[in-house]
Amino acid sequence: LNCEGDAVRRGAMIMGAVEMVREGGLILISMPKACLDNSRFCSQRVLLGQLKKLALKARRVINTRSLTLLVLQKKHRTSNVTDATATNDTRLAHIKTHISEKKMGGVVQA
């Protein structure tokens, strides 16, 4: 994630992983610990909160001297849990549109 300089594309990477993994499946994220420690905009708490909105539950968070490792599990859908799939699909469509617009220099072709 830290190798991608564009925040929207980092979000798209996470959304793509969420789309690919089955319910109950695991996603592993590894990033330099400094990415969260030195960010003015995103703390570990904020990141985990955003991942929760994508129906990901942090099963384990490991902070070493230099790395932050996240073990995330995609939640099973139940009648008691809000179905985030439609919202995630809308977010992903928005992200893909944004990336396409940036590739075309902000011009949307019909």
Side-chain angles (χ1 to χ4, degrees):
L1 292 175
N2 69 306
C3 295
E4 176 55 62
D6 184 63
V8 174
R9 289 186 181 188
R10 286 192 301 268
M13 290 170 68
I14 294 172
M15 291 293 296
V18 171
E19 281 188 338
M20 285 188 270
V21 73
R22 295 178 185 168
E23 291 178 8
L26 298 176
I27 296 174
L28 307 174
I29 295 178
S30 171
M31 63 176 53
K33 189 170 183 286
C35 288
L36 295 174
D37 289 349
N38 299 333
S39 175
R40 295 179 299 183
F41 308 106
C42 186
S43 65
Q44 184 171 301
R45 185 179 55 94
V46 169
L47 176 62
L48 291 173
Q50 293 299 314
L51 293 169
K52 186 176 181 179
K53 290 180 181 181
L54 298 175
L56 295 173
K57 180 177 182 176
R59 287 293 180 192
R60 190 141 189 222
V61 178
I62 302 166
N63 289 301
T64 69
R65 188 170 51 93
S66 58
L67 290 175
T68 295
L69 306 167
L70 305 172
V71 179
L72 308 165
Q73 186 172 33
K74 187 172 181 179
K75 295 179 184 175
H76 291 281
R77 282 192 249 166
T78 65
S79 58
N80 296 335
V81 176
T82 303
D83 184 5
T85 303
T87 304
N88 290 346
D89 289 345
T90 303
R91 287 180 185 150
L92 185 58
H94 175 73
I95 289 169
K96 287 179 179 177
T97 301
H98 182 75
I99 291 170
S100 296
E101 289 174 0
K102 285 182 91 172
K103 286 181 182 176
M104 293 185 287
V107 178
V108 179
Q109 297 176 345

